[in-house]
Amino acid sequence: MLWKWCFRLLIIFLGVWLFLDLVSRLGAEIFWFENVGYVQVFLLRITTQGGLWILVGGVTATFLLGNLRFAQQLKYADSLRIKEVRREEAGIDSDLQNFLSPNYPRRNETQSPKSRTKPLRLRWLLPIALLFSLLVGLMLVHYGEIGLSYWHSPTLRTIPPVPPLFRLERIWELMSVQIVAQAWYIALIAGVAIAIITYPGFFLNAIALAFSVLFAWVISHNWARVLQYFTPTAFNASEPLFGLDISFYIFSLPFWELLELWGMGLFLYAFIAVSLTYLLSANSFSQGIFPGFSSQQQRHLYGLGGLFMLFVALSYWLSRFELVYSRRGVTYGASYTDVTAVLPVYTILSVFALVVAFYLLWRTFAWKSQSRYRKFIFYSLGLYLVVVVAADFVLPTVVQYLVVQPNELQREQPYIERTIALTRQAFDLEVIDAQTFNPIGDLTETDIQRNDLTIRNIRLWDQQPLLETNRQLQQIRLYYRFPDADIDRYTLLTEAPAERPTAPTEVTEANPEQTQPTERRQVLISARELDYTAVPQQAQTWVNRHLIYTHGYGFTLSPVNTVGPGGLPEYFVKDIAGNDESALNTSSEAIRDSVPIGQPRIYFGEISDTYVMTGTRVRELDYPSGSDNVYNIYDGLGGVRIGRGWRRLLFSMYLKDWQMLFTRDFLPDTKVLFRRNIKERIQAIAPFLQFDSDPYLVSADANPENGNGDFPSNGNYLYWIIDAYTTSDRYPYSDTTNEEINYIRNSVKIVIDAYHGTVNFYIADTRDPIIQTWSKIFPNTFKPLSNLPPTLLSHIRYPVDYFKIQSERLMTYHMTDPQVFYNREDQWQIPNEIYGSEARPVEPYYLITSLPTVPFVEGDSPRTEEFILLLPYTPRQRSNLIAWLAARSDGENYGKLLLYVFPKERLIFGPEQIEARINQDPVISQQISLWNRQGSRAVQGNLLIIPIEQSLLYVEPIYLEATQNRLPTLVRVIVAFENRIVMAPTLEQALEGIFQPEVTPAPAIIRPVEEPAPTE
């Protein structure tokens, strides 16, 4: 008895623990979302998930367990089972005697009643029972894999794709691929089959409960698709096969596929479980015979079979629409074979299944124990399976090989046009302004002087060398780290009158009444964050981790084009000053007036992974000052107050940190700050969005007049800007990327306060129907971009990740002629460059320059420079430049794409050809080899292609770094133009070597190169 009481106490304890854990999680989440201002988002999401869980789990468990209980009542009792088996045996043993008897035709007392089906002997009973049991095992594997794939995706963080449906092709995949490849699949399925046959009552009910949990788990994780289904937004564009609005495929079709996933599994398992309950009754395996299904058992199975066939009809009806995602033809989407052969058969199969379903349901409600049409059901089902196999495997193969392939271009041309058109729509390639650009190569020294702002913003410092230098010179302490360096542009006051006008779209961050001239400078900005893992092991105590080491401090701001003494980068902002004038050191008073610094504490950043408590008895480390430290008490808006009451217990359970209960350092106003990592922060709020991999820091006064409630003003001017995307894999006919995305828009800009932790979402693309749908679902979450303060609006930029996806699609889908596309005769590629000593694809890069074909502004002034993102293209398996894609980021031109296509009849040097010319030069290669001696190595930086006027200038920096304790220094700059290459200590000297060869400084190296013959 004692062990029973202990077992009961253990169960009660586990139940109470789980309940308290659930309450702590729910309570902590509500407090956190209330702090960031998105509690309504959380409540709607958690309510939807909880409702789906209860609905799906409850309906599934009630239906399956109810049918199994009903089947237990209808199955054969032991006495009836023995009688019927003996009757069958008696009939078999007396066949010969009755044959000789004159009463033989009247012998019916030993036959089964006419209301039953024919008995099943062991040779039929065993394979049927095994087949059903193995099918249950396959179902468990299929739905279990889906559930496990969601296990590592926390409920509040990601929206999974529509899981694979349990159809014939999935069953074949499980049997032929996964089961053969992994032995544990075989063991699992065989174990399930043996368990069901041995103990059918217990295991069929247990599996029913398991399916209830799995279905509830899977459907609740797809809460976003359910909400989208009930709040769709029209795309006002239709796909060509069915003429439906694209919103049907984005919002409605995934919902019906989820319903099919649930319904097919529910009714298939119910039918199999009830059938096995009947087949394994009457001790049929031991007796070697099953008496046959009784009238009530048949009626029960007819009803379940009718419901299952309803979902089979739904499955094939949905399969018709899923043909727009077919990969059978030469392009993505429905091909000639799909439209002419598969589509009609799917329609027939759907209608056929619907007829069978209605007949079975009609037989269920209008039951007759005898029906002369009963045998036609089995014939129909057999014919149906034959047609299914023919439709899915045989017919498409025959049509593809005998009809399509001999005339492929002619047959597939309309479908190629569809794929091209809809892929360009899905990736927003149609807005690209394609222009022909023919560099004439007549750049002069006067042109260089006229484009002085472009020249002074050519990037000589790449992110990686600058980060290495920062880590050596600017980390100050071991516990500081620079995780990233980001390209941006700032409008800065100049010490002297500027020679070049600034862009009219630029919003100046300085006082608008000032008369001092300004200029735009391209800079690298890097945050000095706290890295607690770098704290010495002996000092990694609970108090240090959560109470003292709470935040980073400051940032560095470096111009991309200037070099300081010893080849090191110059800094506009650096170090930690800690004085009354400025918290950080600035290079000049003009920089101090241009870049707001304030108190640059970073409580929320890219590597802030620990939770901290602020407002305690323990002072927080602010920054080091000489041999001492300066301390601070956090007074921001972030964090949840825990004080000394029940909230401390709640958060102790939530964070699994029991030392919070016993510390004496907490005060009534103590707050806990968690989810301080900015990516984790925004993923928790908006898991239905995808986020750019590169958040970037901005220093700006977002609330100069204290009138913007979204941005508290207390001397903090550091903000993170992150781009967010709406994506889908359901856009019809649109070819997918490697990440299985076939629709994307850069619809949202997110701004996070690095001190307060406030998060604001701004809609950047109002044309996107998906973000319009989310705006309707969460009406108070998204704000118009016009609400973003001008000082921050001037820093938004075209995101690199989005640009990469578009540029990758453009390599193929710039070809709009179906025949050219079919032949792939104009395929592009992203060229390689030498970085360090290894070849790698060219990365998109930002420049401040004027676009060649943009019209002149009024008067005789030159074009206005702007901040753009660039990427070159070369033809497939060739190295000459063929095109060049530019994305604009300033003012009203934000988001506009320009494609410059170079003439094919002449050679325009590509990056690989310029790299080859550099490395083939005997003097340059000799110098690089000398630097690559023991203990140091030369690093060739990013090769930039700079458009100036109607010409192209190629610039590549050379860094020198030690193999240990790397501190990269800029030692040379290589400039190439037309048939000349110059390497010099500075960019100015290299340009002089190109355009004033007679006054080239001695260190410069000039090598004329013969123009190679143009390639076809």
Side-chain angles (χ1 to χ4, degrees):
M1 293 296 294
L2 180 61
W3 70 269
K4 290 184 178 180
W5 281 104
C6 292
F7 181 74
R8 290 173 183 173
L9 288 175
L10 178 62
I11 295 297
I12 293 173
F13 175 77
L14 290 176
V16 171
W17 176 266
L18 291 174
F19 174 76
L20 292 177
D21 185 68
L22 179 63
V23 170
S24 68
R25 287 179 179 273
L26 184 61
E29 293 291 347
I30 290 176
F31 281 126
W32 185 85
F33 276 93
E34 186 177 25
N35 176 251
V36 295
Y38 296 98
V39 67
Q40 293 181 344
V41 175
F42 172 74
L43 292 178
L44 177 58
R45 196 166 65 209
I46 203 70
T47 302
T48 305
Q49 283 187 297
L52 288 173
W53 182 283
I54 295 172
L55 175 66
V56 174
V59 170
T60 302
T62 302
F63 183 81
L64 292 180
L65 295 179
N67 275 277
L68 285 171
R69 184 175 180 180
F70 187 60
Q72 289 290 332
Q73 296 175 356
L74 295 182
K75 75 175 186 178
Y76 294 119
D78 289 343
S79 58
L80 178 62
R81 177 196 63 196
I82 296 171
K83 179 179 178 182
E84 292 300 325
V85 170
R86 288 178 177 176
R87 180 179 295 172
E88 183 66 24
E89 291 174 350
I92 295 172
D93 294 337
S94 61
D95 274 348
L96 182 60
Q97 179 181 354
N98 290 332
F99 178 74
L100 299 176
S101 172
N103 296 325
Y104 174 73
R106 294 192 302 271
R107 186 184 66 81
N108 53 20
E109 65 274 13
T110 58
Q111 295 178 352
S112 298
K114 292 182 179 180
S115 59
R116 279 189 200 157
T117 60
K118 292 183 178 180
L120 291 176
R121 295 188 177 279
L122 189 62
R123 63 176 179 269
W124 289 105
L125 177 63
L126 180 60
I128 291 174
L130 281 176
L131 178 63
F132 281 172
S133 302
L134 291 173
L135 191 56
V136 171
L138 287 173
M139 291 177 65
L140 278 174
V141 168
H142 172 72
Y143 289 101
E145 282 186 339
I146 298 173
L148 286 175
S149 68
Y150 293 169
W151 182 261
H152 299 292
S153 298
T155 304
L156 299 178
R157 190 164 297 181
T158 57
I159 303 301
V162 176
L165 304 175
F166 195 69
R167 295 173 176 172
L168 282 179
E169 59 270 19
R170 177 59 178 165
I171 296 174
W172 175 254
E173 179 185 351
L174 287 170
M175 294 176 60
S176 62
V177 180
Q178 293 182 252
I179 292 178
V180 174
Q182 303 186 40
W184 71 270
Y185 277 109
I186 301 177
L188 175 62
I189 294 174
V192 170
I194 293 172
I196 291 174
I197 291 175
T198 307
Y199 302 103
F202 173 78
F203 279 102
L204 288 176
N205 282 279
I207 292 172
L209 291 175
F211 275 126
S212 301
V213 173
L214 280 173
F215 291 149
W217 177 261
V218 171
I219 301 300
S220 66
H221 269 73
N222 287 273
W223 60 271
R225 300 190 185 278
V226 176
L227 290 177
Q228 285 182 323
Y229 174 76
F230 290 103
T231 321
T233 301
F235 275 67
N236 295 320
S238 59
E239 55 81 27
L241 182 58
F242 298 100
L244 298 174
D245 190 272
I246 291 173
S247 61
F248 168 81
Y249 296 92
I250 302 294
F251 303 123
S252 299
L253 185 58
F255 173 83
W256 287 105
E257 289 173 339
L258 287 172
L259 188 62
E260 178 199 340
L261 178 79
W262 177 33
M264 286 281 284
L266 175 66
F267 294 117
L268 178 59
Y269 179 72
F271 180 83
I272 293 174
V274 169
S275 299
L276 286 172
T277 300
Y278 294 147
L279 288 171
L280 300 177
S281 64
N283 202 13
S284 56
F285 271 9
S286 298
Q287 300 297 330
I289 191 172
F290 172 65
F293 294 103
S294 68
S295 177
Q296 291 301 315
Q297 292 172 352
Q298 293 176 58
R299 188 175 184 180
H300 191 189
L301 291 176
Y302 270 51
L304 293 176
L307 294 174
F308 173 67
M309 290 305 294
L310 274 179
F311 275 85
V312 171
L314 174 65
S315 176
Y316 277 105
W317 190 256
L318 296 180
S319 296
R320 301 167 66 253
F321 302 108
E322 291 163 2
L323 290 176
V324 296
Y325 312 121
S326 172
R327 299 177 183 270
R328 184 175 283 116
V330 295
T331 58
Y332 189 88
S335 63
Y336 177 88
T337 301
D338 294 316
V339 174
T340 59
V342 179
L343 177 59
V345 176
Y346 279 173
T347 305
I348 293 172
L349 288 172
S350 179
V351 174
F352 193 2
L354 191 63
V355 171
V356 172
F358 280 128
Y359 174 76
L360 292 175
L361 293 175
W362 173 76
R363 284 291 312 275
T364 302
F365 292 104
W367 179 254
K368 293 182 180 180
S369 58
Q370 292 293 328
S371 174
R372 58 180 178 177
Y373 302 110
R374 185 170 62 182
K375 60 181 179 180
F376 292 109
I377 290 294
F378 299 99
Y379 297 152
S380 299
L381 292 176
L383 176 63
Y384 190 82
L385 290 176
V386 172
V387 176
V388 166
V389 174
D392 284 340
F393 303 102
V394 179
L395 182 61
T397 303
V398 171
V399 173
Q400 188 70 24
Y401 278 95
L402 300 184
V403 179
V404 176
Q405 289 191 359
N407 306 282
E408 195 166 48
L409 177 58
Q410 178 185 358
R411 301 289 190 189
E412 300 287 7
Q413 181 170 339
Y415 309 103
I416 294 174
E417 292 175 350
R418 295 177 181 180
T419 300
I420 293 172
L422 274 81
T423 300
R424 290 175 62 86
Q425 289 177 19
F427 291 95
D428 209 19
L429 304 183
E430 290 186 322
V431 301
I432 295 177
D433 182 11
Q435 302 178 11
T436 301
F437 178 48
N438 187 6
I440 55 179
D442 61 350
L443 202 60
T444 64
E445 184 180 1
T446 303
D447 297 327
I448 294 294
Q449 294 174 355
R450 188 164 61 247
N451 290 271
D452 178 59
L453 185 59
T454 297
I455 298 300
R456 287 189 290 118
N457 280 286
I458 292 177
R459 178 163 60 87
L460 301 180
W461 284 100
D462 301 334
Q463 284 100 322
Q464 191 60 38
L466 182 75
L467 278 177
E468 295 290 346
T469 304
N470 276 359
R471 289 162 184 168
Q472 292 289 334
L473 304 179
Q474 289 295 310
Q475 280 191 183
I476 301 176
R477 291 291 189 271
L478 289 174
Y479 46 79
Y480 286 135
R481 183 157 71 92
F482 292 92
D484 194 14
D486 300 299
I487 297 286
D488 202 353
R489 72 284 197 199
Y490 281 75
T491 299
L492 305 176
L493 299 175
T494 58
E495 299 290 350
E499 299 178 4
R500 298 280 296 127
T502 58
T505 57
E506 179 66 26
V507 179
T508 302
E509 296 175 12
N511 186 350
E513 297 180 357
Q514 58 84 23
T515 58
Q516 190 173 350
T518 61
E519 68 173 350
R520 303 184 72 196
R521 297 293 297 273
Q522 187 177 192
V523 298
L524 278 163
I525 186 170
S526 185
R528 185 185 291 108
E529 295 195 48
L530 180 75
D531 181 12
Y532 185 77
T533 60
V535 173
Q537 187 67 35
Q538 297 82 354
Q540 291 190 10
T541 63
W542 186 87
V543 172
N544 278 339
R545 181 181 182 88
H546 299 297
L547 305 183
I548 295 179
Y549 290 96
T550 58
H551 61 278
Y553 196 89
F555 60 96
T556 63
L557 192 72
S558 306
V560 298
N561 64 311
T562 58
V563 183
L568 297 174
E570 288 190 347
Y571 289 97
F572 286 154
V573 180
K574 65 176 182 178
D575 299 334
I576 298 177
N579 53 48
D580 294 335
E581 293 184 1
S582 178
L584 307 176
N585 288 327
T586 56
S587 60
S588 66
E589 185 177 350
I591 296 297
R592 189 178 302 117
D593 294 336
S594 303
V595 181
I597 295 176
Q599 298 298 321
R601 300 182 179 99
I602 303 175
Y603 279 84
F604 302 88
E606 293 188 79
I607 59 174
S608 303
D609 293 324
T610 61
Y611 57 91
V612 298
M613 275 69 76
T614 61
T616 66
R617 300 182 191 274
V618 180
R619 294 180 301 169
E620 306 166 36
L621 172 65
D622 205 20
Y623 57 86
S625 178
S627 59
D628 299 324
N629 292 326
V630 176
Y631 295 91
N632 176 65
I633 296 177
Y634 178 74
D635 61 351
L637 301 180
V640 179
R641 184 173 285 106
I642 56 175
R644 297 175 176 174
W646 57 271
R647 290 191 182 187
R648 185 192 291 201
L649 174 61
L650 185 144
F651 279 95
S652 296
M653 292 195 64
Y654 176 73
L655 298 171
K656 302 297 184 290
D657 187 350
W658 302 110
Q659 296 192 54
M660 294 175 62
L661 287 175
F662 306 107
T663 181
R664 297 182 179 180
D665 294 322
F666 285 4
L667 298 172
D669 291 332
T670 295
K671 295 195 293 186
V672 58
L673 279 66
F674 62 101
R675 283 202 185 110
R676 297 193 302 129
N677 184 288
I678 55 176
K679 289 186 178 179
E680 183 182 356
R681 201 169 185 83
I682 58 179
Q683 284 171 346
I685 298 172
F688 44 84
L689 299 176
Q690 289 197 15
F691 304 100
D692 195 85
S693 61
D694 186 26
Y696 59 99
L697 188 70
V698 171
S699 178
D701 187 356
N703 195 4
E705 299 177 358
N706 296 330
N708 193 327
D710 293 337
F711 298 94
S713 178
N714 64 341
N716 176 75
Y717 303 112
L718 293 183
Y719 302 92
W720 297 98
I721 296 181
I722 307 177
D723 288 276
Y725 311 112
T726 51
T727 61
S728 177
D729 59 349
R730 313 300 292 172
Y731 203 91
Y733 278 101
S734 176
D735 197 0
T736 58
T737 64
N738 294 332
E739 294 78 22
E740 295 299 318
I741 292 174
N742 68 357
Y743 174 88
I744 185 170
R745 289 292 185 273
N746 176 214
S747 300
V748 179
K749 302 286 184 180
I750 306 172
V751 180
I752 304 175
D753 192 312
Y755 184 73
H756 297 285
T758 55
V759 183
N760 290 282
F761 297 82
Y762 298 92
I763 297 179
D765 187 354
T766 56
R767 302 170 302 154
D768 177 32
I770 296 182
I771 199 61
Q772 292 179 31
T773 290
W774 287 121
S775 297
K776 290 188 286 187
I777 296 172
F778 303 116
N780 299 320
T781 300
F782 301 96
K783 306 176 180 69
L785 192 62
S786 58
N787 286 14
L788 186 65
T791 49
L792 288 174
L793 190 63
S794 64
H795 288 280
I796 65 171
R797 65 187 191 184
Y798 204 89
V800 173
D801 286 358
Y802 184 47
F803 188 75
K804 283 182 178 179
I805 292 175
Q806 289 181 304
S807 59
E808 186 271 333
R809 292 288 85 187
L810 191 65
M811 290 191 297
T812 300
Y813 288 94
H814 70 276
M815 297 180 286
T816 55
D817 183 88
Q819 184 166 353
V820 174
F821 184 93
Y822 176 80
N823 296 329
R824 294 296 201 270
E825 60 186 70
D826 192 21
Q827 187 85 8
W828 294 349
Q829 66 181 6
I830 296 174
N832 288 330
E833 65 173 351
I834 302 296
Y835 193 88
S837 58
E838 299 179 355
R840 70 177 192 183
V842 173
E843 293 287 332
Y845 52 90
Y846 291 101
L847 284 177
I848 290 182
T849 187
S850 56
L851 293 168
T853 57
V854 173
F856 285 90
V857 295
E858 294 181 3
D860 297 328
S861 60
R863 300 180 183 89
T864 302
E865 286 83 358
E866 56 183 301
F867 192 62
I868 57 177
L869 182 62
L870 308 174
L871 184 67
Y873 291 107
T874 60
R876 178 64 61 88
Q877 299 181 344
R878 291 169 59 192
S879 302
N880 58 289
L881 206 62
I882 191 65
W884 184 59
L885 183 64
R888 308 170 75 177
S889 297
D890 287 338
E892 296 179 355
N893 292 321
Y894 175 83
K896 294 181 180 179
L897 295 174
L898 292 172
L899 178 66
Y900 295 103
V901 181
F902 299 107
K904 299 180 181 179
E905 61 272 9
R906 56 168 297 205
L907 174 67
I908 308 295
F909 287 118
E912 292 173 278
Q913 292 172 322
I914 295 295
E915 295 279 16
R917 294 173 61 187
I918 292 173
N919 293 320
Q920 288 170 2
D921 185 281
V923 179
I924 295 178
S925 61
Q926 182 182 14
Q927 182 62 59
I928 291 177
S929 299
L930 289 174
W931 281 324
N932 284 327
R933 63 184 184 272
Q934 186 175 4
S936 65
R937 69 186 186 109
V939 177
Q940 295 180 235
N942 292 131
L943 177 64
L944 306 182
I945 305 175
I946 315 295
I948 300 179
E949 302 288 341
Q950 295 294 315
S951 302
L952 298 178
L953 194 68
Y954 302 83
V955 178
E956 181 177 83
I958 303 292
Y959 310 100
L960 186 63
E961 66 178 16
T963 54
Q964 295 182 352
N965 298 321
R966 293 184 295 177
L967 183 63
T969 57
L970 182 64
V971 292
R972 292 291 186 271
V973 178
I974 299 175
V975 176
F977 176 70
E978 292 298 308
N979 66 339
R980 297 176 64 81
I981 297 179
V982 169
M983 184 172 76
T986 66
L987 177 62
E988 291 76 12
Q989 291 175 322
L991 291 172
E992 288 179 0
I994 290 288
F995 298 104
Q996 296 180 359
E998 65 278 0
V999 295
T1000 301
I1005 300 171
I1006 306 175
R1007 284 282 183 265
V1009 178
E1010 294 183 2
E1011 189 80 26
T1015 58
E1016 294 297 331

